[in-house]
Amino acid sequence: MKKGIGSRAISTTVLAAATLVGSLAVAAPAFAQDAEATSDWEISGNAGIFSQYRWRGISLSDEEVAFQGGIDVAHSSGFYVGTWGSSLAGFGSYGGANTEIDVYAGYAGEAGGFGYDIGAIWYLYPGTSGTDVVEITASLSKELGPVGASVGVAYAPKQDSLGNDDSFYLYTDWSAAIPNTPVSLNAHLGYTDGSLSIDRGFSTDGDYLDWSLGASVSYDKLTLGVSYVDTDVKGGDPSINKITDSAIIVSLTAAF
């Protein structure tokens, strides 16, 4: 589910999710007639390799290959919890963590012909201190004929890791499947303002745009994707340009 905000080692959070799933299994009586009761819960996962990890247009893997994966536990009521992780390559010359882990929870449903999703994400960076970030998220989605559209916001309240400042991210995603083919097209546009921004001076209080165009081909549980990613952060520090300039991202993911 992670990384629409597009959407952060993995073993710790996977263990936490497995513990939750295990507790559900223990709580359910071992009778055939009760099997129906457990059908309200669904467990899903994903794993993939990416030519680099771009988060809101920024290469957090310093333009190196990134390995990613996650697991989700969802209830038919709309409640869900999950975790997701990615390699980071220490964020290049700026130093920092080599791994990102995200833990998230929320509630998704439908109302008035729109889909909605309200939740929170906790970004953790093992091996560093004072860098974890919490965001509150909300989005609306709508099927417009063959096109799926969504708009959302991610707000990070004032917290120590952001220098007691806040930050927000506004975005929209669009997708469409080409009829009678396994090919899908997608587009993304986002705007960051506040402490999670990055600009020509690598300041912690700027704003910038990011966008992407991509296509994917699916076969069974495998998906091969390619996308063009870019930002409007130009000029200034060459090391910043390296992680914010345009790039072609290739990925291979598996769902299970």
Side-chain angles (χ1 to χ4, degrees):
M1 183 179 298
K2 165 64 168 85
K3 297 308 188 166
I5 54 178
S7 207
R8 273 154 111 71
I10 297 178
S11 59
T12 303
T13 48
V14 168
L15 178 60
T19 301
L20 171 61
V21 175
S23 66
L24 294 173
V26 171
F31 298 106
Q33 61 266 34
D34 290 325
E36 212 174 298
T38 63
S39 64
D40 287 339
W41 293 94
E42 180 181 355
I43 303 172
S44 60
N46 60 86
I49 180 172
F50 293 72
S51 57
Q52 61 174 286
Y53 169 27
R54 288 269 175 154
W55 182 71
R56 299 176 184 175
I58 303 172
S59 180
L60 297 190
S61 64
D62 196 30
E63 297 192 305
E64 296 182 10
V65 172
F67 299 92
Q68 303 178 351
I71 187 169
D72 298 295
V73 180
H75 189 264
S76 58
S77 64
F79 172 76
Y80 64 86
V81 295
T83 184
W84 179 92
S86 176
S87 57
L88 295 185
F91 197 52
S93 58
Y94 296 107
N98 287 303
T99 305
E100 173 189 325
I101 302 171
D102 299 349
V103 179
Y104 48 88
Y107 185 86
E110 293 185 7
F114 287 86
Y116 63 87
D117 191 328
I118 302 172
I121 304 177
W122 181 15
Y123 302 93
L124 301 97
Y125 303 92
T128 63
S129 60
T131 57
D132 296 352
V133 176
V134 174
E135 281 189 331
I136 301 168
T137 64
S139 66
L140 288 174
S141 59
K142 179 75 173 178
E143 295 296 325
L144 303 174
V147 178
S150 66
V151 294
V153 58
Y155 176 68
K158 292 182 179 181
Q159 47 200 288
D160 291 343
S161 58
L162 300 181
N164 290 315
D165 202 350
D166 62 357
S167 186
F168 71 89
Y169 184 65
L170 300 174
Y171 67 92
T172 181
D173 289 310
W174 298 75
S175 63
I178 298 179
N180 303 315
T181 75
V183 179
S184 295
L185 306 176
N186 59 78
H188 167 87
L189 175 65
Y191 171 73
T192 301
D193 187 29
S195 291
L196 289 176
S197 180
I198 183 171
D199 62 15
R200 295 179 181 83
F202 199 48
S203 82
T204 57
D205 191 19
D207 66 280
Y208 73 99
L209 293 170
D210 72 274
W211 57 88
S212 67
L213 294 172
S216 63
V217 180
S218 297
Y219 176 77
D220 195 14
K221 297 184 180 298
L222 296 177
T223 299
L224 176 66
V226 60
S227 61
Y228 171 85
V229 182
D230 201 0
T231 74
D232 67 346
V233 181
K234 308 299 179 185
D237 190 335
S239 62
I240 295 177
N241 292 341
K242 177 184 176 183
I243 59 175
T244 59
D245 61 5
S246 60
I248 302 294
I249 312 298
V250 179
S251 64
L252 179 63
T253 60
F256 53 88

